[in-house]
């Protein structure tokens, strides 16, 4: 008790006027984990995003594997298509879905409120990328099960596949956050969907790049979706080792995308 008959706020062990627990920001790692968990829950509860990230790649895999629509070369169609569909799943989640969701979070003031918290901008991007990785694990498991049911016969080192998927996720995540943090929500919605459709057709996902003119091939081959799909195909279909050229392209896109997003991303 104090001289005035009141109890110190800090308790018996604390000095007068102190609080327990001590006010302040949580450790950075804990903030990133909490934000990543929240982002994952929000993504999995969004029916439209699940349609884009899960249903569309699954339908494309089943349709083009069962129906001879596109000439995929020698061998089973599913062996050619599965690596491309895995790349498409990364594109749909890390780029298209994340860009649209983040763009509307920015429009509705969610990001503005987060900006007032102790969470740094780069930590928010890290949390969103971690959330994307969790969703992609679910996608990969589902698509792999379906591909095996369709007669898929994969080859190669799984570690090479993981490295390609991680670098692809970083590249597309950076580009998606850059778009969401610089354009209006409506423009992001239109642009993200348009890019998704263009890369689906011209990124080597379903249509082999060899079907395009030589001059176009050299340009398309530098796109992150082409590097990811070709790298996965080299490993899973042809049993190649580490595809250093494709990994290099993805690494450049990842550095440029995440760096530009960290610099130009606007909270509101």
């Amino acid at each position: 008790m104090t001289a005035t008959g009141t109890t110190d706020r800090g308790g018996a062990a604390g000095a007068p006027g102190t609080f327990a627990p001590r006010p302040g920001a949580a450790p950075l790692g804990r903030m990133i984990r909490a934000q990543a968990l929240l982002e994952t829950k929000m993504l999995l509860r969004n029916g439209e995003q699940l349609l884009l990230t899960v249903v569309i790649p699954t339908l494309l895999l089943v349709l083009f594997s069962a129906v001879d629509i596109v000439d995929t070369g020698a061998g089973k169609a599913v062996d050619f298509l599965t690596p491309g569909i895995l790349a498409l799943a990364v594109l749909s989640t890390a780029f298209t879905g994340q860009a649209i969701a983040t763009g509307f979070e920015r429009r509705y003031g969610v990001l503005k409120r987060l900006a007032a918290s102790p969470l740094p901008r780069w930590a928010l991007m890290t949390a969103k990328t971690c959330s994307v990785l969790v969703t992609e694990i679910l996608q990969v498991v589902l698509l792999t099960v379906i591909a095996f049911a369709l007669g898929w016969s994969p080859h190669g080192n799984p570690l090479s596949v993981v490295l390609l998927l991680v670098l692809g996720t970083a590249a597309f995540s950076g580009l998606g956050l850059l778009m969401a943090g610089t354009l209006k929500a409506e423009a992001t919605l239109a642009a993200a969907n348009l890019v998704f459709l263009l890369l689906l057709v011209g990124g080597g996902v379903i249509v082999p790049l060899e079907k395009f003119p030589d001059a176009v091939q050299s340009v398309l081959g530098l796109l992150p979706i082409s590097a990811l799909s070709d790298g996965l195909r080299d490993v899973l279909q042809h049993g190649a080792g580490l595809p250093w050229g494709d990994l290099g392209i993805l690494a450049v896109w990842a550095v440029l995308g995440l760096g530009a997003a960290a610099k130009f991303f606007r909270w509101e």
Side-chain angles (χ1 to χ4, degrees):
M1 301 290 288
T2 63
T4 59
T6 60
T7 304
D8 293 337
R9 291 184 179 182
T18 62
F19 296 85
R22 184 187 305 173
L28 186 58
R30 188 184 304 172
M31 287 194 293
I32 293 175
R33 288 195 301 270
Q35 186 64 29
L37 179 60
L38 175 62
E39 297 284 346
T40 303
K41 289 180 178 179
M42 292 173 60
L43 193 152
L44 294 177
R45 291 173 182 173
N46 191 320
E48 294 178 356
Q49 287 194 50
L50 288 179
L51 173 66
L52 177 69
T53 60
V54 177
V55 178
I56 291 179
T58 301
L59 289 177
L60 290 174
L61 176 60
V62 174
L63 174 63
F64 285 96
S65 296
V67 182
D68 189 13
I69 300 176
V70 179
D71 182 11
T72 57
K76 294 181 293 186
V78 67
D79 289 339
F80 174 87
L81 291 169
T82 301
I85 295 298
L86 291 175
L88 182 68
V90 174
L91 170 68
S92 64
T93 302
F95 175 75
T96 310
Q98 183 170 220
I100 294 172
T102 306
F104 280 94
E105 286 176 358
R106 181 166 163 256
R107 175 186 176 182
Y108 296 138
V110 176
L111 298 185
K112 180 180 179 180
R113 287 165 174 78
L114 283 175
S117 72
L119 186 69
R121 179 166 48 186
W122 68 266
L124 172 64
M125 296 178 184
T126 301
K128 285 183 172 292
T129 302
C130 291
S131 171
V132 164
L133 285 172
V134 172
T135 306
E136 287 176 359
I137 291 174
L138 301 177
Q139 288 178 290
V140 169
V141 171
L142 174 62
L143 291 171
T144 299
V145 170
I146 294 173
F148 276 124
L150 294 170
W152 183 38
S153 302
H155 305 280
N157 188 346
L159 293 179
S160 300
V161 175
V162 171
L163 184 57
L164 284 164
L165 292 175
V166 170
L167 275 178
T169 298
F172 285 121
S173 184
L175 295 173
L177 290 172
L178 175 63
M179 179 180 289
T182 54
L183 302 179
K184 292 184 177 180
E186 293 80 1
T188 298
L189 175 63
N193 282 313
L194 178 60
V195 170
F196 176 83
L197 292 174
L198 291 176
L199 295 183
L200 170 62
V201 175
V205 175
I206 295 175
V207 181
L209 291 181
E210 291 77 13
K211 301 296 182 181
F212 295 91
D214 293 340
V216 178
Q217 286 184 39
S218 59
V219 176
L220 294 180
L222 297 177
L223 296 176
I225 185 65
S226 301
L228 181 56
S229 60
D230 282 352
L232 290 173
R233 196 166 287 123
D234 285 342
V235 175
L236 293 172
Q237 186 178 10
H238 305 298
L242 283 173
W244 292 107
D246 295 315
L247 288 171
I249 293 174
L250 291 173
V252 170
W253 279 104
V255 171
L256 293 177
L258 291 172
K263 181 175 182 180
F264 298 110
F265 190 94
R266 298 195 302 270
W267 292 92
E268 55 178 312

